[in-house]
Amino acid sequence: MVDSYRHKGMRRQLVKVVREKGIEDERVLAAIGKIPRHFFFENAFLEHAYEDKAFPIGAGQTISQPYTVAFQSELLQVQPGDKVFEIGTGSGYQAIVLLELGADVYTIEYQKELYERTRRFLPSMGYKPNFFFGDGSKGLPRYAPYDKIIVTAGAPTVPDALIDQLRVGGVLVIPVGDAKTQRMLRITKTAENKVRTESFDNFKFVPLLGADGWRK
Ligand code: SAM
């Protein structure tokens, strides 16, 4: 697929829209401006790739709205070299943003079809996070602790396992609520058994499934 001047122009426009909605982190905006989001879309839908909207990617799932990706990425305050665990690989777009921010990315997906597709597709774009298949609601204890954890599906509650797998000083960004709307939370692990929770805007995500998510 080609990344033309027209696509680059549309991307600049998207960055402008996301900035106007309140995103200030220049590194996050640069990543949105760099990643060819149209590579994730089938030909028939290419025109929609640079709208600030979520879009179906198959298996009943979506590529998140660019503003939402930027909002979560900004809250996560990724530093180069951070070990970041993402729950909900989906299309892989968010994982690429994290890689562009200099993170070492571990990402897990619950839908086999998406896991297989994204695991093949991202390396073809030159991006290589560590891919895992399975239920991320219990975390990924084998590689813990993480500096940052990001959940890209709506959870009914904050899974304890995710707090356990954060290092002290680490940050978890997770949307929590009911099926209709979720509140974006940023949880900082301030000591071994202590957290500070900040609550931001409302969002609408597909459900986090699994043992510590919504049951199928
Ligand atoms: N980060 C994705 C992107 O950039 O395209 C957004 C994907 S979508 C909003 C949320 C994803 O979470 C879906 O692909 C869904 O299958 C996945 N998911 C839901 N529950 C999960 C779980 N327990 N473990 C891992 N992935 C899960």
Side-chain angles (χ1 to χ4, degrees):
M1 204 174 275
V2 176
D3 191 23
S4 68
Y5 281 115
R6 190 164 152 266
H7 294 121
K8 287 178 181 139
M10 289 196 282
R11 231 162 28 240
R12 270 198 298 278
Q13 188 56 32
L14 174 62
V15 169
K16 191 165 173 264
V17 168
V18 170
R19 191 193 290 279
E20 281 167 6
K21 288 184 178 173
I23 301 301
E24 294 177 343
D25 187 328
E26 291 298 334
R27 296 178 314 137
V28 171
L29 291 165
I32 304 278
K34 180 173 174 190
I35 301 164
R37 191 170 187 254
H38 63 283
F39 283 16
F40 294 85
F41 285 62
E42 287 173 25
N43 278 339
F45 302 117
L46 279 183
E47 290 306 313
H48 299 287
Y50 293 104
E51 292 171 6
D52 188 26
K53 287 183 184 155
F55 209 79
I57 53 170
Q61 301 303 329
T62 53
I63 179 169
S64 297
Q65 182 182 350
Y67 171 71
T68 304
V69 172
F71 192 88
Q72 287 198 282
S73 303
E74 187 169 78
L75 284 186
L76 210 56
Q77 297 168 322
V78 176
Q79 299 307 315
D82 272 358
K83 188 175 180 183
V84 180
F85 174 41
E86 178 196 26
I87 296 150
T89 312
S91 68
Y93 182 81
Q94 172 75 71
I96 295 184
V97 171
L98 296 170
L99 288 168
E100 284 290 339
L101 294 172
D104 179 17
V105 179
Y106 293 70
T107 182
I108 190 165
E109 173 56 51
Y110 206 24
Q111 304 260 0
K112 194 71 184 257
E113 181 190 330
L114 280 178
Y115 159 75
E116 296 287 3
R117 196 201 304 169
T118 303
R119 189 174 62 141
R120 276 195 304 272
F121 179 57
L122 258 54
S124 78
M125 287 177 73
Y127 292 103
K128 292 182 184 143
N130 302 288
F131 291 104
F132 299 88
F133 167 65
D135 176 10
S137 73
K138 287 276 185 202
L140 187 61
R142 215 164 111 209
Y143 297 94
Y146 302 98
D147 298 302
K148 311 279 159 69
I149 300 180
I150 174 171
V151 182
T152 68
T157 54
V158 179
D160 289 340
L162 300 187
I163 304 284
D164 291 345
Q165 291 169 36
L166 267 185
R167 72 162 171 80
V168 172
V171 172
L172 163 67
V173 171
I174 179 170
V176 176
D178 58 25
K180 283 203 186 111
T181 166
Q182 302 91 35
R183 197 91 191 140
M184 191 66 75
L185 304 182
R186 176 166 62 189
I187 299 170
T188 306
K189 186 165 175 174
T190 52
E192 207 39 72
N193 285 311
K194 237 176 145 188
V195 295
R196 180 182 70 238
T197 301
E198 300 162 274
S199 175
F200 296 88
D201 291 351
N202 288 337
F203 288 85
K204 178 159 179 43
F205 281 81
V206 296
L208 177 76
L209 301 175
D212 275 359
W214 297 95
R215 300 297 172 108
K216 274 189 197 174

